Amino acid sequence: MNDERNAPLVEADLDARIAKLAPGKRALLLERLSRHSAETSIPRVRRDGFEDSGFELSFAQQRLWFLEQWESGGALYNVAQGWWLEGPLDVQRLQDALVGIVSRHESLRTALVSVRGEPRQKAMNEAPVELEEVDLRELPAEQARAEALALAQALARRGFDLAQPPLLRVAVYRVGEHAHLVALAIHHIVSDGWSMGVLLRELSASYATLSRGESPVLAELPIQYLDYAVWQRDLLAGETLGRQLEYWTRQLAGVPLLRLPTDGSPPAVQSLRGARAHLRLSAEMIDALKRMSEREGVTLFMTLLAALQVLLSRHTGQTDIPVGTPIAGRTRRETEGLIGFFANTLVLRTDTSGNPGFRALLHRVREVCLGAYANQDLPFEKLVEVLKPVRDLNHHPLFDVMLNLFERPENALQLDGLTGRKIALDTGHAKFAMTLKIDIQEDGAGMELEYQDALFSAERMTHLLAQYHHLLEQVVDAPERPILDYSLITPAIRACLPDPGAAIDAPQQELVVERFAGWVERQPDAIAVSQAGRVWRYGALADAAHRVAQALVKGGIGQGD
């Protein structure tokens, strides 16, 4: 649920986007913005007097806390990243920078505990920050790098005790004199995608300041996460809750489950074991998608969402396509510099019926997204609680497919005097049937399709990514085409097909009826079908089939009817 799409826009960019809106939408947006800016700021909450009872969690935290009780010690909600760094790394300086950040952000030194059976958060005055250092230089270079990566993956998959802050861990694996792998894991209950950006920027800045022999000085935080959690509870106790509930209740009434084609029968209880497929989009493709999005008055995210919903519609045969997406949830300026779990989940439900052109579908998607953004304060957890969708242990409520777009390549670990390359650390889990993650970078975009391997094969998911890529290419070239006209036959698959118009010899295979008759003749007493204690043998089954056929013929039903 990491998301960077809700980053604050620069003022000129915002003005330009507002100017492109139709007059009615522009007036509505300006009215909402003015109302938003006039609302009360988030107040600070007194800490003294609550040392024993603690404070309520935010809605998102509360849901994760209950899930953690169900799967205690698991790594399902770990957020992990790694970086290969080249250069002289001062490990003590890195730890000192981490200590400062944990001291600065109350969320990182908060214990989440049970008080009389209810989850509560208690901020500690301090929390021990331990940075693990492992020296692998005695190993051959390639073996050292492989061992470092294995250790980093193990770190990412190690669970946290929510009552023992800080809920993050960092390790440095030294594989050469000036070569290191730095791995970081943090629990989602105190972090999200935006928070990772805050953490990395502050860590980089503090390390640089310490390198100059100075003490890090960062701007004072106006509030802490605990203040936000208390404010959120108050906000959603009145008019805002009712208004947004009304919108989402109407928007998601009768939302269907996607009948995704699978390679295995869905287990009775959803398997969260995950795997990943990868593919890259070129910089030229991303630029073309951005230009087309601008011409159509939509964002890049809306275009990518529309293409994904076309692909899902084609694979399922359905035209009512719900897709989940995380949104940063930082609608107040005070929250922009905080580390904490603010991200919310929106369900974007698009109607693809009528075989519209892709351009027309984009307009449908835009309306869906704008409505969702205007009602994003309602926590997904509260929505599920109120809507009470039919719960099934083998799928997620309201949606099974997630789209996550990352558009902030500056969120990197940039330590003074070192060059780095980010790598993904796999926690081995998949929260949803499928999650498509698209990470925009300077040289294009990395696409990662995370999926539950109990449902899908690696071959199917690799091909699905290739189909999505092929669909985007066609959309850029001809956005006016009806969505059913786009081909899902990728160039690699087309090369395996015969030339159009070429004659194809019919396979010389025995017909099913002939094969059945052969079994009847050779082994009439062999068992053909058995179920629940009842057995049909080939001879008896043939007699029964013959009687059915005679009855059909007598009723005037012939071949082909």
Side-chain angles (χ1 to χ4, degrees), residues 425-468:
L425 295 180
D426 185 359
T427 63
H429 291 86
K431 302 180 189 72
F432 307 97
M434 279 190 268
T435 298
L436 177 59
K437 302 176 183 179
I438 303 178
D439 190 357
I440 306 296
Q441 300 152 1
E442 292 182 358
D443 60 346
M447 292 199 299
E448 177 184 274
L449 186 58
E450 177 185 278
Y451 60 93
Q452 293 175 352
D453 59 10
L455 297 177
F456 308 108
S457 66
E459 182 181 18
R460 180 187 291 273
M461 294 295 95
T462 298
H463 186 55
L464 191 72
L465 266 185
Q467 287 184 318
Y468 184 66

Side-chain angles (χ1 to χ4, degrees), residues 61-115:
Q61 280 186 315
Q62 181 172 294
R63 177 170 178 267
L64 281 200
W65 190 86
F66 281 117
L67 290 173
E68 276 289 335
Q69 310 315 299
W70 183 270
E71 189 188 344
S72 179
L76 179 60
Y77 292 99
N78 285 5
V79 179
Q81 289 184 9
W83 298 267
W84 289 111
L85 298 179
E86 301 289 339
L89 175 63
D90 188 323
V91 177
Q92 184 59 53
R93 191 177 297 156
L94 182 61
Q95 175 155 351
D96 290 343
L98 275 170
V99 169
I101 291 171
V102 171
S103 176
R104 170 177 167 80
H105 291 275
E106 190 178 64
S107 57
L108 297 180
R109 45 188 171 82
T110 294
L112 297 117
V113 298
S114 176
V115 177

Side-chain angles (χ1 to χ4, degrees), residues 125-186:
N125 291 327
E126 57 183 29
V129 181
E130 296 181 7
L131 188 150
E132 180 183 6
E133 185 177 8
V134 181
D135 194 338
L136 301 170
R137 286 177 293 178
E138 291 185 358
L139 299 175
E142 287 303 314
Q143 185 180 347
R145 294 178 76 86
E147 179 67 13
L149 188 57
L151 290 172
Q153 295 284 22
L155 177 141
R157 298 182 182 195
R158 203 163 74 229
F160 286 96
D161 180 351
L162 300 186
Q164 297 295 324
L167 299 183
L168 86 163
R169 61 176 69 99
V170 179
V172 175
Y173 307 102
R174 190 183 293 270
V175 298
E177 191 59 33
H178 293 303
H180 315 77
L181 174 59
V182 175
L184 182 152
I186 187 169

Side-chain angles (χ1 to χ4, degrees), residues 81-376:
Q81 289 184 9
W83 298 267
W84 289 111
L85 298 179
E86 301 289 339
L89 175 63
D90 188 323
V91 177
Q92 184 59 53
R93 191 177 297 156
L94 182 61
Q95 175 155 351
D96 290 343
L98 275 170
V99 169
I101 291 171
V102 171
S103 176
R104 170 177 167 80
H105 291 275
E106 190 178 64
S107 57
L108 297 180
R109 45 188 171 82
T110 294
L112 297 117
V113 298
S114 176
V115 177
R116 294 182 288 278
E118 293 296 323
R120 310 290 284 185
Q121 54 179 314
K122 296 183 178 182
M124 306 289 108
N125 291 327
E126 57 183 29
V129 181
E130 296 181 7
L131 188 150
E132 180 183 6
E133 185 177 8
V134 181
D135 194 338
L136 301 170
R137 286 177 293 178
E138 291 185 358
L139 299 175
E142 287 303 314
Q143 185 180 347
R145 294 178 76 86
E147 179 67 13
L149 188 57
L151 290 172
Q153 295 284 22
L155 177 141
R157 298 182 182 195
R158 203 163 74 229
F160 286 96
D161 180 351
L162 300 186
Q164 297 295 324
L167 299 183
L168 86 163
R169 61 176 69 99
V170 179
V172 175
Y173 307 102
R174 190 183 293 270
V175 298
E177 191 59 33
H178 293 303
H180 315 77
L181 174 59
V182 175
L184 182 152
I186 187 169
H187 199 285
H188 204 345
I189 206 164
V190 295
S191 179
D192 53 21
W194 185 301
S195 295
M196 287 296 286
V198 173
L199 174 59
L200 295 177
R201 287 193 297 275
E202 291 192 358
L203 188 59
S204 301
S206 297
Y207 184 89
T209 304
L210 290 168
S211 298
R212 299 193 296 269
E214 304 171 7
S215 297
V217 179
L218 297 169
E220 182 181 355
L221 294 173
I223 61 169
Q224 293 286 347
Y225 185 81
L226 190 152
D227 301 311
Y228 162 80
V230 173
W231 170 84
Q232 184 197 45
R233 293 276 177 175
D234 291 339
L235 174 72
L236 295 176
E239 178 188 348
T240 301
L241 175 64
R243 185 177 67 249
Q244 298 202 11
L245 263 180
E246 181 183 356
Y247 168 82
W248 286 111
T249 301
R250 183 176 64 252
Q251 181 68 13
L252 298 180
V255 63
L257 288 174
L258 288 181
R259 297 184 295 273
L260 297 165
T262 63
D263 298 295
S265 299
V269 177
Q270 187 178 35
S271 169
L272 301 176
R273 191 182 67 239
R276 286 154 179 77
H278 297 88
L279 189 65
R280 284 200 64 80
L281 293 173
S282 67
E284 292 75 18
M285 169 62 73
I286 292 298
D287 288 342
L289 287 166
K290 286 181 176 178
R291 289 194 299 271
M292 186 193 76
S293 300
E294 289 180 5
R295 288 196 303 270
E296 300 302 326
V298 300
T299 64
L300 175 62
F301 172 78
M302 294 175 187
T303 298
L304 295 170
L305 172 63
L308 177 61
Q309 289 177 316
V310 168
L311 185 63
L312 293 173
S313 180
R314 295 283 294 274
H315 274 271
T316 62
Q318 298 171 244
T319 58
D320 188 351
I321 310 295
V323 171
T325 191
I327 193 163
R330 299 181 187 238
T331 56
R332 300 306 173 105
R333 187 172 297 277
E334 301 99 311
T335 64
E336 291 177 4
L338 291 180
I339 293 174
F341 186 12
F342 294 89
N344 194 16
T345 302
L346 303 180
V347 185
L348 304 176
R349 179 186 187 184
T350 302
D351 175 15
T352 66
S353 65
N355 194 22
F358 187 79
R359 178 177 284 126
L361 182 67
L362 270 179
H363 296 164
R364 297 184 189 181
V365 169
R366 179 176 60 188
E367 294 306 308
V368 168
C369 289
L370 291 177
Y373 298 158
N375 293 276
Q376 63 173 285

Side-chain angles (χ1 to χ4, degrees), residues 459-536:
E459 182 181 18
R460 180 187 291 273
M461 294 295 95
T462 298
H463 186 55
L464 191 72
L465 266 185
Q467 287 184 318
Y468 184 66
H469 181 273
H470 186 46
L471 183 59
L472 290 174
E473 290 178 322
Q474 296 172 83
V475 161
V476 165
D477 289 340
E480 72 285 348
R481 289 178 62 184
I483 59 175
L484 294 180
D485 286 4
Y486 295 122
S487 173
L488 297 186
I489 302 175
T490 65
I493 295 299
R494 188 173 297 280
C496 301
L497 299 177
D499 294 332
I504 302 177
D505 294 332
Q508 300 302 309
Q509 294 178 341
E510 188 178 15
L511 297 177
V512 173
V513 173
E514 295 171 353
R515 179 167 294 188
F516 178 76
W519 276 91
V520 172
E521 183 178 346
R522 292 191 304 273
Q523 293 183 305
D525 294 327
I527 294 175
V529 180
S530 63
Q531 182 181 15
R534 186 175 184 184
V535 172
W536 286 85

